[in-house]
Each structure stands twice: as C-alpha cells, then as structure tokens.
Amino acid sequence: MVVLERKFLGGPAGAVVLSDGVVVSGYASVFGLRDRGGDVVMPGAYAASLAALAAAGGRVRMLWQHDPAQPIGIWDVVREDGHGLWVQGRLLPEVARAREAAALLEAGAMEGLSIGYRTKRAEKLPGGGRRLFELDLWEVSLVTFPMLPAARLDVPTSAKGVSPGQLAVLAAGLEAAREALRN
C-alpha cells in the first residue's frame, strides 16, 4: 500500500458558478515557504510528476479531505509557475459532497487546499523539516485545516467581487458560447 504525504493549504474562498459546476482555483502549494510541518517545497518539485501524468493521459484527482472514496470534482488545470502549484477545477453538481463543499466555500466555513504526494527527493533542514525537490503528486483536496496559510484559493478582488482568475474563466465561457452560436 502506498502511503501518501499531505500538505494542508488554504485561505479565503473564491468560486464562480457555471452550468457545469462551481469553479474553484488557487495555489495548492507555494514555493520557498516553510509550512507548519517544517517542510519547504522548492520550485520545479512537481515538474516531472506533471509531465509523467500528461504523457500517460492521467490527471491529478480532486478529493474531499484526502478521502479516495470521495472524489468531488475535476482539476482542469494543474501547473507550476514562479509562485507555486496553481490549480483550477470544477466541483461537480451531480456529486452530493461537492454540493456540500460549494456551500461551505461560499459560507467561508472551508477554504483550504491540501496536496497528497510521495516524496521522491528531499534533504533535511537544520532545526527539522525538509527541503522538497521532487514530489510525485497524486491529488489536491479541499480541506478544513490548512498547513500553509500563504497558499489559498483565489480571493475575489474586483469591485464586483470577482477575482482576475474568475474573470478569465467567465471570459473563456463567453467565448465558447459565442463560437457555439456561430456554428
């Protein structure tokens, strides 16, 4: 049996409701910051894992509280950038637990993200913890208690209460609708 490690992350919730689910996005991991367990994820730690998943046609799973029996949605985008591991996905409205998660997010009762992974390459840090250089990423969960407060779901920031990431999702949806009307 493979034992996965987990890093709980989070912050204020931001979500957009579209016809195919509630869209959530944010950083599931932030590079260079020590979490409450003493670990620091380094830039590039997910690159090999994401490349292997893409080559195999696989995907990072979206789970509820790390429970493999409770998938609640789909991560449409999982990518590394200069800040960390950014995810964007949809809570599926056909799944009861996903509807509950959406309600909790909207109410501000839940706001965390957490990564489930296996460590492939790390070194110990003075005073405890590890510097994580390569991780085999399996899943990103919505969780109650975050490990790294600096990593969080997108926060609505515009005057209308919609974040720039959410505006991009809405713009893509409008463009797809416009193209569908043309055909």
Side-chain angles (χ1 to χ4, degrees):
M1 177 178 177
V2 175
V3 176
L4 296 181
E5 297 178 55
R6 296 171 172 94
K7 293 293 176 198
F8 297 86
L9 311 170
V16 174
V17 179
L18 299 176
S19 62
D20 59 345
V22 174
V23 175
V24 293
S25 63
Y27 281 94
S29 178
V30 176
F31 297 137
L33 299 179
R34 189 179 287 251
D35 67 21
R36 292 178 186 149
D39 291 343
V40 178
V41 178
M42 302 306 295
Y46 303 101
S49 179
L50 294 176
L53 276 171
R59 66 180 345 154
V60 174
R61 304 299 177 187
M62 181 192 291
L63 302 179
W64 174 256
Q65 306 280 1
H66 295 295
D67 185 345
Q70 295 192 62
I72 58 172
I74 303 289
W75 290 118
D76 296 311
V77 180
V78 179
R79 71 168 185 255
E80 278 193 60
D81 63 21
H83 186 67
L85 182 72
W86 189 80
V87 296
Q88 178 178 305
R90 294 169 282 131
L91 297 172
L92 300 177
E94 300 83 6
V95 177
R97 182 64 77 186
R99 291 191 304 272
E100 292 172 14
L104 291 167
L105 288 168
E106 185 166 328
M110 171 178 243
E111 54 199 24
L113 292 174
S114 175
I115 56 176
Y117 63 95
R118 277 188 321 115
T119 301
K120 295 190 84 175
R121 192 166 58 92
E123 69 182 19
K124 290 186 178 189
L125 288 170
R130 302 170 296 170
R131 188 172 288 120
L132 305 174
F133 292 103
E134 186 176 354
L135 301 174
D136 185 14
L137 183 65
W138 286 46
E139 54 96 2
V140 175
S141 286
L142 275 67
V143 297
T144 307
F145 299 107
M147 177 69 93
L148 182 64
R152 60 189 63 219
L153 292 166
D154 286 336
V155 178
T157 56
S158 76
K160 298 284 186 188
V162 178
S163 74
Q166 294 165 342
L167 288 174
V169 171
L170 290 172
L174 290 172
E175 183 61 34
R178 186 169 60 163
E179 285 299 313
L181 289 173
R182 286 185 187 157
N183 295 330

